[in-house]
């Protein structure tokens, strides 16, 4: 089966552009050529940007399965042609049997349990979210969107470099689970390598069942049964009712403004929308346009300072808004001005803690995220792996001639998620439970700490950094969409692309290619991109880092901070960009 299997559309798609169209072309960007080609095929077959995004996401789950798939979740922003914005929350939920202390043994947190194996899995949300996308804003029949992913899984495809590398990196953990071994190993001892043909017949069959029978097959039928029985047989707690109770949710998109533009972000359980809005508001009073070009030391300095403050707030205040009250006043402009009142143009601030937004009781401020008082030094337990090593998750984006735009971030969390494949289904399950704060001050796989707001709870969604973002101009028309993969680096990468486009007046390709920094409050250091060996000219120069060190910042170099995809509209033309840090494909035609 191929593109021709996409059911012909019988509606009215204009062959030529009508004068009332916003753009004269359509655009797609993903991290894998097969996914981008699938999206373009769907657009050409009469589908809209929503159909194209669903098809691409399904293909990514087959060809880029260490990053995302139907065993995981997603957050989706859709700007519909009529101007309406949809925020569809397909974040995984903790089992109804989950408890706050489920990852403690003898009172001590055991991060291995939330990071790998059956206890790490939360109820997947991607299928439910894609079904909502299709129902609310898609055009083509649900079934037709599965054609490419079914075919590629069945026929096989050459494993990409990142799939080969990520299997090699996770061989030990993957080999613990029979079905994972059967798929990702050529023989008992030889894992699949780059270029090997990866055939996934079970996954193909699973996709066909969901295409034919709808999401019920996944949530109320055979998949839910097979998955929960298997997970329980190897020590996990997900059960069939967790699947039956799962719902993708329609959220209120988070709207803020920046220099005359409207910024549409994803609300909690994402922290991304909230903190991008916070940081943009903190930055608005600084001459960022001038600094990006003429004073990069000032630009990076102020970025580091707003990142510290936003991530300190994240660690304290953010969690699933259906379970905890997240103060709206975190976005209050006076509060954010106050957060930056101690900003010094040539000195790094010390001992940043979360703020107290208006309306919150002012007591003795305790840094709950580390269990330490504010004056204490950094918690000695905080020795996470370098976040630069973590590159999973995927962001894809599509826009069509009608004016529908999609920003969709999908994830099974870290590479190959829990490493657990459900036998007979080909579905790799997420390890999204690790995005909870398993104990106050205990860093997760990304070194993030959290407080009670993001504690584990039954049915609760773990806090995410995924930041699908759409920017509208003063007329309310879309001009930019961007998002990223990379755990907490997502938030800062998305911010930096927005600043380079809106303030720096760079095109989307330059903005995404430009070197980035990352600071997440804990640990107390900043990563900067150093492409030495591949493209030294695009690295942040050592001389600049020295100036910033003289202000008191501490640095560590990284060969890549986040993977970002975006689409930009300039007048009536769209351009799409995939991140040059990976082997993707972006098309605008
Ligand atoms: O939702 C989150 O924030 C994480 N589960 C995303 C994981 C991710 O981006 C992995 N990439 N490095």
């Amino acid at each position: 089966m191929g593109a021709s299997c996409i059911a012909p559309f019988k509606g009215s798609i204009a062959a030529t552009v009508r004068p009332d169209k916003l753009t004269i072309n359509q655009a797609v960007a993903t991290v894998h050529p097969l996914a981008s080609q699938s999206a373009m095929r769907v657009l050409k077959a009469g589908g809209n940007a929503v159909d194209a995004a669903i098809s691409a996401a399904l293909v990514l789950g087959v060809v880029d399965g260490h990053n995302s798939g139907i065993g995981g979740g997603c957050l989706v922003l859709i700007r519909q042609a009529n101007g309406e914005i949809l925020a569809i929350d397909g974040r995984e939920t903790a089992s109804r049997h989950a408890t706050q202390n489920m990852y403690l043994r003898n009172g001590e947190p055991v991060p291995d349990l939330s990071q790998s194996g059956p206890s790490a899995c939360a109820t997947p949300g991607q299928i439910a979210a894609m079904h909502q996308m299709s129902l609310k804003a898609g055009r083509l029949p649900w079934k037709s969107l599965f054609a490419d992913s079914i075919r590629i899984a069945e026929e096989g495809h050459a494993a990409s470099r990142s799939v080969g590398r990520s299997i090699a990196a996770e061989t030990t953990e993957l080999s613990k689970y029979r079905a994972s071994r059967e798929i990702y190993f050529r023989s008992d001892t030889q894992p699949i390598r780059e270029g090997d043909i990866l055939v996934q017949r079970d996954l193909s069959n699973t996709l066909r069942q969901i295409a034919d029978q709808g999401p019920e097959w996944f949530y109320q039928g055979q998949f839910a049964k097979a998955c929960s029985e298997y997970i329980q047989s190897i020590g996990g707690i997900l059960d069939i009712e967790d699947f039956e109770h799962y719902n993708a949710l329609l959220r209120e998109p988070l709207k803020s403004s920046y220099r005359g533009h409207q910024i549409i972000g994803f609300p909690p359980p994402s922290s991304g929308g909230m903190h991008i809005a916070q940081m943009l508001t903190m930055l608005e009073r600084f001459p960022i346009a001038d600094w990006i070009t003429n004073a990069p030391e000032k630009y990076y300095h102020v970025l580091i300072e707003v990142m510290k403050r936003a991530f300190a707030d994240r660690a304290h205040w953010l969690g699933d808004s259906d379970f905890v009250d997240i103060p709206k006043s975190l976005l209050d402009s006076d509060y954010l001005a106050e957060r930056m009142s101690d900003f010094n143009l040539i000195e790094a601030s010390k001992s940043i803690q979360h703020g107290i937004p208006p309306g919150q009781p002012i007591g003795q401020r305790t840094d709950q995220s580390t269990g330490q008082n504010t004056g204490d030094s950094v918690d000695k337990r905080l020795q996470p792996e370098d976040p630069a090593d973590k590159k999973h998750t995927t962001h894809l984006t599509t826009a069509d001639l009608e004016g529908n735009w999609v920003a969709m971030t999908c994830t099974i969390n870290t590479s190959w998620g829990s490493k657990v494949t459900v036998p007979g289904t080909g579905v790799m399950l997420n390890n999204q439970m690790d995005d909870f704060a398993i104990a106050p001050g205990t860093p997760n796989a990304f070194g993030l700490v959290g407080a009670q707001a993001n504690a584990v709870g039954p049915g609760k969604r773990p806090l995410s950094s995924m930041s699908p973002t759409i920017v509208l101009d003063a007329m309310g028309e879309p001009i930019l969409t961007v998002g990223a993969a990379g755990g907490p680096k997502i938030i800062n990468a998305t911010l930096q692309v927005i600043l380079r486009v809106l303030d720096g007046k760079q095109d989307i390709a330059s903005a995404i290619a430009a070197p980035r920094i990352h600071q997440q409050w804990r640990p107390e250091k900043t990563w900067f991109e150093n492409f030495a060996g591949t493209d030294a000219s695009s690295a942040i120069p050592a001389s600049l880092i020295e100036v910033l060190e003289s202000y008191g910042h501490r640095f560590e170099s990284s060969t890549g901070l986040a993977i970002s995809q975006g689409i930009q509209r300039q007048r009536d033309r769209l351009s799409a960009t995939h991140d040059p840090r990976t082997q993707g494909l972006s098309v605008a035609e």
Side-chain angles (χ1 to χ4, degrees):
M1 291 187 286
S4 55
C5 290
I6 293 168
F9 169 63
K10 300 205 175 60
S12 61
I13 281 280
T16 53
V17 179
R18 295 198 310 265
D20 60 338
K21 294 274 191 244
L22 196 59
T23 58
I24 58 170
N25 61 345
Q26 38 201 8
V28 163
T30 83
V31 297
H32 200 290
L34 290 173
S36 298
Q37 286 159 5
S38 174
M40 278 318 279
R41 267 201 295 273
V42 168
L43 286 172
K44 286 176 181 169
N48 65 12
V50 177
D51 301 314
I54 295 171
S55 183
L58 287 165
V59 170
L60 285 170
V62 174
V63 299
D64 199 56
H66 58 306
N67 283 329
S68 69
I70 62 173
C74 59
L75 300 180
V76 191
L77 271 188
I78 301 173
R79 186 271 180 190
Q80 293 185 270
N82 64 7
E84 200 182 325
I85 309 280
L86 300 176
I88 299 178
D89 172 354
R91 185 69 164 164
E92 299 91 331
T93 50
S95 166
R96 295 166 309 109
H97 307 290
T99 59
Q100 178 158 344
N101 295 332
M102 66 186 278
Y103 298 114
L104 304 188
R105 297 292 178 271
N106 302 319
E108 290 296 316
V110 184
D112 280 354
L113 292 173
S114 62
Q115 291 181 7
S116 191
S119 310
C121 309
T123 315
Q126 184 166 331
I127 287 290
M130 291 192 303
H131 197 241
Q132 285 302 314
M133 290 169 72
S134 176
L135 286 176
K136 299 250 175 316
R139 180 182 293 138
L140 294 181
W142 168 252
K143 180 175 173 172
S144 71
L145 307 176
F146 285 71
D148 290 343
S149 53
I150 291 172
R151 176 180 52 79
I152 297 167
E154 186 171 330
E155 292 176 358
H157 72 286
S160 67
R161 185 193 306 161
S162 60
V163 163
R165 284 184 182 172
S166 61
I167 294 177
E170 300 293 350
T171 304
T172 309
E173 286 298 306
L174 284 170
S175 66
K176 286 183 182 166
Y177 303 98
R178 176 172 57 82
S180 302
R181 254 193 336 266
E182 283 169 3
I183 299 167
Y184 303 110
F185 283 63
R186 295 185 297 172
S187 68
D188 276 356
T189 54
Q190 285 298 310
I192 295 268
R193 291 182 305 208
E194 177 184 358
D196 287 346
I197 300 301
L198 180 56
V199 176
Q200 299 170 82
R201 288 204 184 86
D202 285 343
L203 182 56
S204 178
N205 184 47
T206 295
L207 292 166
R208 187 174 285 114
Q209 299 296 341
I210 301 168
D212 289 343
Q213 300 185 43
E216 294 75 21
W217 187 86
F218 189 86
Y219 289 102
Q220 278 132 42
Q222 277 186 35
F223 181 80
K225 186 167 180 301
C227 180
S228 46
E229 282 176 7
Y230 178 63
I231 285 292
Q232 287 175 28
S233 76
I234 57 171
I237 56 174
L238 277 186
D239 70 13
I240 200 157
E241 287 182 39
D242 290 323
F243 281 85
E244 284 169 2
H245 283 93
Y246 186 85
N247 279 313
L249 301 173
L250 272 188
R251 302 266 179 204
E252 191 63 37
L254 204 152
K255 297 180 180 168
S256 60
S257 68
Y258 182 66
R259 301 197 202 279
H261 300 91
Q262 196 171 32
I263 311 292
I264 315 285
F266 208 98
S270 168
S271 58
M274 172 71 86
H275 297 305
I276 288 170
Q278 276 196 317
M279 291 191 285
L280 287 172
T281 305
M282 286 190 258
L283 289 168
E284 202 163 14
R285 68 187 170 100
F286 296 99
I288 301 299
D290 178 42
W291 288 0
I292 283 181
T293 319
N294 302 318
E297 71 288 354
K298 293 195 176 91
Y299 170 63
Y300 287 119
H301 174 53
V302 75
L303 270 189
I304 295 169
E305 292 298 322
V306 298
M307 288 172 182
K308 280 184 199 170
R309 288 161 175 80
F311 273 85
D313 275 1
R314 182 192 194 277
H316 184 78
W317 294 108
L318 271 279
D320 181 345
S321 53
D322 293 337
F323 287 71
V324 291
D325 285 333
I326 299 174
K328 286 199 173 52
S329 52
L330 283 166
L331 291 176
D332 184 287
S333 56
D334 290 340
Y335 165 70
L336 292 166
E338 157 68 21
R339 287 291 274 151
M340 284 297 275
S341 59
D342 57 350
F343 173 73
N344 178 320
L345 199 50
I346 52 164
E347 195 176 328
S349 56
K350 301 278 181 298
S351 309
I352 291 291
Q353 298 296 333
H354 68 83
I356 309 288
Q360 296 302 311
I362 307 172
Q364 191 210 353
R365 184 192 291 168
T366 296
D367 180 358
Q368 293 178 22
S369 55
T370 60
Q372 307 280 311
N373 285 331
T374 359
D376 286 349
S377 59
V378 184
D379 188 329
K380 295 290 182 292
R381 288 170 295 174
L382 300 180
Q383 293 185 336
E385 292 174 57
D386 181 349
D389 292 337
K390 308 280 182 184
K391 295 188 191 112
H392 339 281
T393 301
T394 198
H395 182 75
L396 67 105
T397 180
T398 56
D400 64 26
L401 279 170
E402 309 292 297
N404 298 293
W405 288 43
V406 179
M408 178 172 190
T409 314
C410 309
T411 186
I412 55 171
N413 197 19
T414 61
S415 228
W416 303 110
S418 64
K419 325 294 184 285
V420 179
T421 302
V422 182
T425 71
V427 176
M428 172 64 75
L429 294 170
N430 67 83
N431 61 340
Q432 221 67 249
M433 291 299 287
D434 192 54
D435 275 351
F436 283 114
I438 63 167
T442 298
N444 74 358
F446 302 104
L448 289 168
V449 289
Q452 189 59 31
N454 191 31
V456 181
K460 194 175 174 186
R461 284 157 148 89
L463 187 60
S464 175
S465 297
M466 293 189 285
S467 309
T469 307
I470 297 176
V471 178
L472 309 180
D473 65 14
M475 310 293 291
E477 301 290 359
I479 53 162
L480 173 70
T481 180
V482 62
K489 300 188 297 296
I490 293 172
I491 300 174
N492 291 336
T494 304
L495 172 76
Q496 289 169 81
V497 174
I498 292 172
L499 293 173
R500 286 188 177 277
V501 172
L502 298 189
D503 291 293
K505 305 292 176 224
Q506 298 181 0
D507 60 42
I508 183 79
S510 311
I512 285 180
R516 301 196 263 261
I517 60 163
H518 174 69
Q519 152 73 243
Q520 59 181 48
W521 180 61
R522 294 290 187 264
E524 284 187 321
K525 63 179 167 184
T526 302
W527 283 266
F528 71 100
E529 281 188 323
N530 167 4
F531 293 95
T534 53
D535 183 5
S537 65
S538 63
I540 297 181
S543 54
L544 185 53
I545 296 299
E546 276 166 28
V547 174
L548 291 163
E549 280 173 340
S550 76
Y551 298 172
H553 296 296
R554 287 176 52 224
F555 285 95
E556 192 165 315
S557 68
S558 163
T559 52
L561 295 172
I563 302 290
S564 172
Q565 274 61 244
I567 292 175
Q568 180 181 22
R569 178 175 66 84
Q570 288 165 302
R571 290 174 298 280
D572 60 358
R573 276 213 165 267
L574 296 172
S575 43
T577 300
H578 66 277
D579 203 310
R581 294 161 184 79
T582 194
Q583 299 172 306
L585 177 68
S586 38
V587 187
E589 58 183 44

